[in-house]
C-alpha cells in the first residue's frame, strides 16, 4: 500500500459502515454477509480501498466502546482481506486499529488525526502502514461547538501541519502520511465550500490529500427544495461526483465516496480527457503558485 500512497492517483476509497447509525447507510450492512457482499461490490465498481468503520462519526453521534467497535469491523476485514479486497480501517482507537491491521487491513484512516488516542502513532509506526490524518477538533457530540476559525483554510492547514509534525516526531515515515481536511468535522457549510475552493493551499503541506464530501449535509442544503427541505441523502450522488472530480482536478490524491461506480466513471472521463487541472501542478503533484504559473 505504500505504492498506493505514492501513486499519482486518483485513488477511490469506498465507504463501508458497519454501524446502525451512520448518517447515510447506517444499519444497511450490519449483517456480516451484507457487509462483505457490499465490500466486494465496491471493489468491483472500482474502489482502490474499502474503508470499514464500526463507529458513527456523524455530528451528534454517541460513541461506542472499543470492544463493540472491534466486534463490528474485524469479521468483515478478515473476510474481505481473504477475498483479496484492500481494506482500510476507519477508527480513532489504537486498540481497534492494531486488531484491524492484524486482521488484514492495510491502511489506518483516523478521523482524529492521532489526537483521540496518543498510542495510534506507535501502532502505525510499528505496522509501517499508511495513516490518513484528518483535521479534527473533537468528538461528534461537541464538534458543532468547535467550528470557529479566523481563516478556515489557513487554520486547517496549520493544524494539519501540527498533526503531521507529531506523527513524524513519533517515528512515522513521511511516505506513509496522507492528510484530509475533514469536511463537516467542526466545519459549517461555508467552511466546507471555502476549503473546497482553496484546496490547492492545503497541498502545500507536501502530502497526498484525501477529500471526503460524499453525501454530506452541506450538499443536501445546497440542493434544497423550494421550501428549504434539504435534498435526501440518497439523492446527493451527482453533487458528490462533482465535488470528487473538482477535488481531483485541484490536486487531491484521492476521494472517499459511498457510490464508487459513479465516481470511478467520472474520474475515468477526467483521465481520458488528459487529466485537466484547475490549478497547475508540478510533476510531483505539488501546486504551482499563481505568480509562478504566470512566469
Amino acid at each position: 500500500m505504500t505504492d498506493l500512497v505514492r501513486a499519482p492517483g486518483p485513488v477511490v476509497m469506498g465507504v463501508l459502515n458497519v454501524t446502525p447509525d451512520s448518517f447515510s447507510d447506517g444499519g444497511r450492512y450490519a449483517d456480516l454477509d451484507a457487509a462483505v457482499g457490499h465490500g466486494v461490490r465496491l471493489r468491483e465498481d472500482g474502489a482502490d480501498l474499502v474503508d470499514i468503520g464500526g463507529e458513527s462519526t456523524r455530528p451528534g453521534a454517541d460513541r461506542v466502546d472499543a470492544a463493540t467497535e472491534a466486534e463490528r469491523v474485524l469479521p468483515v476485514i478478515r473476510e474481505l482481506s481473504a477475498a483479496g479486497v484492500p481494506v482500510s480501517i476507519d477508527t480513532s482507537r489504537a486498540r481497534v486499529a492494531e486488531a484491524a491491521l492484524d486482521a488484514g487491513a492495510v491502511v489506518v484512516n483516523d478521523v482524529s488525526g492521532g489526537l483521540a488516542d496518543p498510542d495510534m502513532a506507535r501502532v502505525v509506526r510499528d505496522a509501517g502502514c499508511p495513516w490518513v490524518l484528518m483535521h479534527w477538533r473533537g468528538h461528534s457530540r461537541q464538534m458543532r461547538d468547535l467550528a470557529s476559525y479566523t481563516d478556515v483554510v489557513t487554520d486547517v492547514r496549520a493544524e494539519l501541519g501540527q498533526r503531521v509534525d507529531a506523527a513524524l516526531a513519533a517515528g512515522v515515515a513521511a511516505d506513509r502520511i496522507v492528510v484530509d481536511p475533514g469536511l463537516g468535522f467542526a466545519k459549517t457549510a461555508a467552511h466546507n465550500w471555502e476549503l473546497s475552493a482553496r484546496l490547492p493551499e492545503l497541498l502545500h503541506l507536501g502530502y497526498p490529500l484525501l477529500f471526503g464530501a460524499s453525501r454530506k449535509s452541506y450538499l443536501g442544503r445546497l440542493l434544497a427544495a423550494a421550501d428549504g427541505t434539504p435534498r435526501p441523502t440518497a439523492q446527493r450522488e451527482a453533487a458528490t461526483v462533482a465535488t470528487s472530480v473538482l477535488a481531483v482536478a485541484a490536486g487531491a490524491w484521492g476521494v472517499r465516496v459511498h457510490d464508487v461506480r459513479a465516481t470511478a466513471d467520472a474520474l475515468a472521463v477526467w483521465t481520458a480527457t488528459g487529466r485537466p487541472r484547475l490549478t497547475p501542478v508540478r510533476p510531483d503533484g505539488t501546486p504551482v503558485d499563481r505568480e509562478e504559473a504566470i512566469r
Side-chain angles (χ1 to χ4, degrees), residues 97-120:
E98 192 164 32
L101 292 166
D102 288 343
V106 292
V107 174
V108 173
N109 180 20
D110 181 355
V111 300
S112 81
L115 284 169
D117 189 335
D119 200 34
M120 185 70 87

Side-chain angles (χ1 to χ4, degrees), residues 117-200:
D117 189 335
D119 200 34
M120 185 70 87
R122 176 197 61 80
V123 169
V124 173
R125 179 198 66 211
D126 291 353
C129 69
W131 188 13
V132 180
L133 299 170
M134 196 192 80
H135 178 265
W136 183 88
R137 285 183 164 182
H139 290 291
S140 298
R141 276 289 179 186
Q142 61 188 121
M143 70 169 68
R144 287 192 180 97
D145 299 327
L146 302 172
S148 177
Y149 302 88
T150 301
D151 177 282
V152 67
V153 179
T154 300
D155 293 351
V156 166
R157 183 174 61 190
E159 290 171 31
L160 275 175
Q162 292 169 3
R163 302 317 310 147
V164 169
D165 289 345
L168 295 174
V172 177
D175 67 358
R176 302 299 196 271
I177 294 174
V178 176
V179 297
D180 181 337
L183 298 187
F185 287 78
K187 317 285 191 310
T188 65
H191 293 147
N192 293 336
W193 290 120
E194 189 73 8
L195 285 162
S196 300
R198 295 166 57 190
L199 203 62

Side-chain angles (χ1 to χ4, degrees), residues 11 16 26 47 59 72 82 91 94 100 107 116 120 132 179 182 205 212 241 246 261:
V11 169
L16 176 52
R72 291 172 177 174
T91 186
V107 174
M120 185 70 87
V132 180
V179 297
L205 287 166
V241 172
L246 288 169
R261 176 171 289 185

